Amino acid sequence: MDDEKSEWYREDLGFSDDWRIDRIEHLSMPLRIRIHISHIDPARCPNCLSESTIIETMVRIFDGPDFGKARCKVIAMIPRVKCKNCGIRDLEPQ
């Protein structure tokens, strides 16, 4: 994948450096973009920021901003972590 394009989409969508773009699909009829993202290790609790253990990964699909006439969907692999201080938490894209 083109690293410059991937970085541009990541920044434009507002994701932190903890997330990477795995794949970008440009589809036509109707014009749309699907962006697949996943979390980069290590996983930290979103509440207390302590290092945590990933116990499972879920898929979430949400609307991203439109790019011109192209509708955007973000397909995110969301890790669920177990924190020794806070219990089980989902890491949401930021």
Side-chain angles (χ1 to χ4, degrees):
M1 178 185 335
D2 182 351
D3 287 337
E4 281 186 34
K5 184 187 292 185
S6 165
E7 184 66 17
W8 181 84
Y9 275 112
R10 191 184 63 74
E11 288 178 3
D12 202 50
L13 291 167
F15 298 134
S16 67
D17 291 339
D18 294 342
W19 295 88
R20 74 166 172 254
I21 293 182
D22 297 318
R23 188 171 79 216
I24 301 169
E25 297 175 278
H26 295 94
L27 308 162
S28 59
M29 299 305 210
L31 190 60
R32 59 199 187 281
I33 300 170
R34 289 186 191 146
I35 300 172
H36 299 258
I37 66 168
S38 60
H39 190 269
I40 300 171
D41 290 333
R44 297 202 174 274
C45 173
N47 191 43
C48 71
L49 301 179
S50 67
E51 197 163 316
S52 302
T53 304
I54 295 175
I55 57 173
E56 66 181 338
T57 304
M58 305 169 296
V59 176
R60 282 214 183 119
I61 301 171
F62 55 94
D63 292 325
D66 294 342
F67 291 96
K69 292 183 179 184
R71 305 215 80 184
C72 179
K73 292 283 186 189
V74 177
I75 296 96
M77 299 301 293
I78 306 288
R80 179 169 280 175
V81 299
K82 185 174 185 179
C83 173
K84 59 186 170 209
N85 302 317
C86 305
I88 296 174
R89 304 279 182 190
D90 293 344
L91 296 181
E92 296 291 338
Q94 300 177 14

